[in-house]
Amino acid sequence: MRLWILVTTLLTTLGVALVASPAHADVDDFVYDSWHVSYQLDVDEEGRAVARVTEKLVAVFPDFDQNRGIVRALPLTYEKANAAPQGISVTDESGTAIPFDTEDDGTFRIILIGDDSFVRGVHTYVISYTLHDVILTTDDRDEFYWDIVPIERAQSIAAFSAEFDIANDLAPRLTGATACFTGTAYSTETCEMSEAQVDSGRSKLAIEPFVLPGGSGVTIGIAFERGSVVQPPVRLPNPLLDIGPVVIGAAALVLGIVAAALVLLERRRRRTHRGVIVAQYEVPETLPPLLAGPIAGETKSTIAAEVVHLAVRGAIRIEDGAEPTGFLG
């Protein structure tokens, strides 16, 4: 599986014709006489991968005022890590600087090469830049897998070629597994890549010149032993970020279940049968039986109840008397 497709929008001209030109003419109507790329793969003092890239493009523009220059776009990130090209320079074949500007659009760093002057005929552009963290660690290897010429290109290339110089620290770690693919997107057409040892233990891989039609790209893969380079922190496992969301989600689920159980328990408790409650009412203390009886509908005599009522409240006293002896004593 391709680890990254280095999407590059390349060589769209900046100029628009200001004078008469054929009706069908377009700023993409030019060709490349040659296109050569050179990658120097190395590691920095931290052991992280570095690629120093030089691209030499020979463009042939039409002989009228149509184009002012070219555009090169490179990704700002690669597999989470910062991969924006650094130390950019642009010259001609003799080393004379060519004016350029850069801008970032959130996804690409766009190199705008040229100025307001129109360009005609053959022009050479030598673009140099440095990339970081371009080798990715997979399950069983470290891999440099890269699109070295973009598919999004209308122009044909009469002779495309490439070379890869592997530094001393990385050369002994090569596994020998390489790949080169060419064609349109998802093409399985292969291209040849040769390998040779050079001085000081360095290794060099090369792709010999071949014709590359417009809309066709080239992707290469070079495998190293696993652990050959140090990965940037952003690619390393982070328990807090990797496991934390799972733990938080599980805790939230448990809390939700507990809360639901408590709600059901409270509802059940409120619905529990507690028997029939009978309201009981007593006569107010301020209402004596003589009045309460008729109000309650009592038909019996309430005198006895009134006597008891008064006795309980200490209003009268009931005592046992001597037996009567008759009216005469």
Side-chain angles (χ1 to χ4, degrees):
M1 180 179 179
R2 180 172 300 184
L3 298 177
W4 176 260
I5 297 179
L6 182 59
V7 181
T8 54
T9 307
L10 179 60
L11 301 172
T12 301
T13 56
L14 303 177
V16 177
L18 299 179
V19 296
S21 59
H24 66 278
D26 184 85
V27 291
D28 286 330
D29 292 338
F30 64 95
V31 297
Y32 292 99
D33 187 49
S34 65
W35 185 322
H36 179 78
V37 297
S38 175
Y39 283 77
Q40 294 182 353
L41 297 178
D42 203 346
V43 293
D44 61 17
E45 61 278 2
E46 297 179 2
R48 291 163 61 172
V50 177
R52 297 176 179 85
V53 186
T54 301
E55 301 175 345
K56 184 177 182 181
L57 287 63
V58 180
V60 183
F61 298 109
D63 195 24
F64 53 84
D65 289 345
Q66 173 180 273
N67 305 89
R68 290 191 172 98
I70 59 175
V71 175
R72 185 74 163 98
L74 297 166
L76 295 173
T77 61
Y78 169 56
E79 291 296 328
K80 302 180 182 179
N82 177 30
Q86 305 292 331
I88 301 170
S89 70
V90 182
T91 68
D92 62 15
E93 69 277 15
S94 63
T96 301
I98 295 177
F100 71 94
D101 198 4
T102 63
E103 60 182 40
D104 295 346
D105 66 358
T107 304
F108 298 100
R109 176 155 295 170
I110 303 171
I111 309 172
L112 308 168
I113 303 172
D115 52 25
D116 291 335
S117 303
F118 286 104
V119 289
R120 296 184 180 188
V122 178
H123 283 263
T124 299
Y125 300 95
V126 180
I127 310 169
S128 300
Y129 53 89
T130 301
L131 303 174
H132 295 273
D133 297 315
V134 292
I135 296 178
L136 185 70
T137 294
T138 65
D139 292 338
D140 59 352
R141 67 180 69 183
D142 285 0
E143 191 171 42
F144 176 67
Y145 201 89
W146 213 255
D147 282 357
I148 57 177
V149 63
I151 294 174
E152 293 79 4
R153 185 199 72 260
Q155 302 78 24
S156 63
I157 302 172
F160 172 80
S161 59
E163 62 181 13
F164 307 90
D165 188 4
I166 315 300
N168 298 20
D169 292 335
L170 288 176
R173 310 280 292 183
L174 288 166
T175 67
T178 60
C180 179
F181 299 97
T182 185
T184 57
Y186 309 110
S187 171
T188 57
E189 182 181 354
T190 61
C191 44
E192 295 295 328
M193 183 183 297
S194 62
E195 181 178 357
Q197 292 295 125
V198 295
D199 295 339
S200 303
R202 301 173 74 92
S203 183
K204 181 172 290 187
L205 294 87
I207 299 174
E208 297 300 322
F210 68 95
V211 177
L212 193 62
S216 294
V218 177
T219 300
I220 61 95
I222 302 173
F224 301 87
E225 296 174 3
R226 195 175 191 278
S228 297
V229 299
V230 176
Q231 294 297 306
V234 70
R235 292 184 190 154
L236 299 178
N238 187 326
L240 182 61
L241 296 179
D242 297 341
I243 303 177
V246 177
V247 174
I248 293 173
L253 178 61
V254 171
L255 289 175
I257 294 173
V258 171
L262 290 176
V263 170
L264 292 175
L265 205 63
E266 178 65 15
R267 289 180 178 176
R268 181 174 296 179
R269 184 183 67 81
R270 291 182 178 181
R271 294 174 182 175
T272 301
H273 179 70
R274 298 181 180 179
V276 177
I277 300 176
V278 179
Q280 296 182 353
Y281 301 95
E282 295 181 352
V283 177
E285 293 185 359
T286 58
L287 189 63
L290 286 176
L291 296 177
I295 294 174
E298 180 62 46
T299 60
K300 295 181 180 180
S301 175
T302 59
I303 295 175
E306 178 67 21
V307 172
V308 174
H309 175 77
L310 293 173
V312 170
R313 285 159 176 76
I316 63 173
R317 185 174 63 185
I318 302 175
E319 296 181 352
D320 289 337
E323 293 184 1
T325 59
F327 294 106
L328 298 179

